[in-house]
Amino acid sequence: MTTVNENPSKSTRGDTTQPHTEVPMVKALNVCKSFGHVEVLKGVDLEVRRGEVMTLLGPSGSGKSTFLRLINHLETLSAGRLYVDGSLVGYSERDGRLHELHPSAITRQRAEIGMVFQRFNLFAHMTALQNVIEAPIGVRREKREIVKKRALELLDRVGLADKSSSYPSALSGGQQQRVAIARALAMQPKLMLFDEPTSALDPELVGEVLDVMRDLARSGMTMVVVTHEIGFAREVADHAVFIDEGVVVESGEPAQVLTDPRHPRTKAFLGKVL
Amino acid sequence: MTAISATQHQAEAVVKMRHPGRWVTYVVAAVLAAMLINTLLTNQNFGWDIVGHYVVSGEILSGLGKTIELTVIAMVIGVVLGVLLAVMRLSSNPAMSGFASAYVWFFRGTPVFVQLLFWGYASALYPRLGLGVPFGPVFVSAETNSLITPFIAAILGLGLNEGAYMAEVVRAGILSVDRGQTEAAQALGMSRLRTLRRIVLPQAMRVIIPPTGNQAITMLKTTSLVSVLAFPELLYSAQLIYSTNFRTIPLLLTASLWYLLVTSVLNVGQHFLERRFNRSDGTRFRRTLAESRLRAAPQQASEGQ
């Protein structure tokens, strides 16, 4: 059972002025993923338009994180097609068959997609600033001075200008996650993926990370967010998708999906979470 | 709740537990020590005058120099080879990981002494060594004995063997780094090699360095096996002397004193390295790396998680 979001959302920001025929930022067609004999995704069809914020909700083990990790090819597809900005991720298609891309091509694709992890995964041996400048200098070969300037601006934007020379071990979880967001943004990605960004945080630290994400959404960044923060989804997202047992159960505007769900499984889930 | 002032909080005099058993061990140890000193001083076969004569002699010091040289070169080969093999072992290429596994299996599965003998007798297996196309013409070739001198045989034997052990040490270090670090690097578009070099290996050093110091200490002593190749390192230098003057024990003592002295120095270094690197808390870790690699200014660690 799959649902495709066909109604343009009433987004009040971002690139909504672009023509209707624009290429979506993410397009998933019948995406399947199995780990051994376990089918985690059983044919997901989704579309994320430019400037749109999509939240993926669902019980743990529903496959939502796996779907997110497929978008930047941290996992490999079992079947289906997954496009980012019009290009297949991790593969090229010739004569109806998928061919694995060369690792260097995959790294180029990934450099365009930012990702924020549940466990932050800041590089423990580097300061906040070094974390942020590592990839632009090492991967993009940008000039150190330019990157450093941008990195300091980004750290300022996430409210951590004074922590640029701190190591991750000296930062709180919320601060680490904000550095991780700045690190992803330093690559100037066209798409940002968030994998339960606040799930590993103490409750009082969740707000500061959501604030940063809210600002980012307002700036027009295309975002796919796996989260259990229903309030955040309702407020910030243009599009909410409920996934359970590897299929999209319900998809649409957050106000509708999260407040007045049509499907009993969505209702049951929201009943437990709220 | 009232605060207890420092003057109120005095340590009480606690009666310490008695350890009568300890006194027995002290007496036994004292008797054994007296016996040892007595025999060292009275048994003329130790030949301390001979030891004193040879301990700073030219031959022995030259042998010591060669022992240290062998240790350093073999360890450098071992570490470089170990990193290469560990990376190959973790490669997704079956040929690479298979080769690395086979290498470690072979070199750890045979005694290093036997390996040294093989290198020493390499000419019996291949009288000439050449460079050319496999199964095709040979462009240059030379006598094995002129290529593999005792020194080269020693370096090959010790270094290749050490590579197998260091591969396991490095592999353990790489595996100790959280998988999330690699994923974060990949998500940023870093290549596998770059991720390894910039993210994983620097963090693996904490696990790799202490056992590497241990390996170096072991290597220093293992070089004595090279005496079988008639390479004049410390032990063979001593053997050369006692083969002419027949003062075997004093010369073995002379060599042992030097081994003991150098391993003691290495032990101090090892202790220092372990104190710096064998810490689990991130505060120490970042400071260690900051000092040794990044030369960053000291950070305040006021904010804990």
Side-chain angles (χ1 to χ4, degrees), chain B residues 138-156:
Chain B
V138 174
F139 304 131
V140 279
S141 74
E143 290 279 335
T144 300
N145 276 338
S146 66
L147 283 176
I148 301 185
T149 60
F151 177 70
I152 298 295
I155 292 295
L156 285 172

Side-chain angles (χ1 to χ4, degrees), chain A residues 69 122 125 134 163 165, chain B residues 181 183 186 198 299 303:
Chain A
R69 291 162 61 82
L122 286 184
H125 60 306
E134 176 64 27
K163 297 290 180 191
S165 53
Chain B
Q181 297 282 309
E183 285 194 344
Q186 285 181 328
R198 295 284 304 169
Q299 302 301 319
E303 277 170 75

Side-chain angles (χ1 to χ4, degrees), chain B residues 191-213:
Chain B
S191 66
R192 269 181 67 94
L193 200 65
R194 183 164 196 90
T195 303
L196 190 74
R197 195 164 55 79
R198 295 284 304 169
I199 308 301
V200 177
L201 279 180
Q203 296 187 64
M205 291 316 277
R206 188 170 48 142
V207 173
I208 292 173
I209 283 182
T212 304

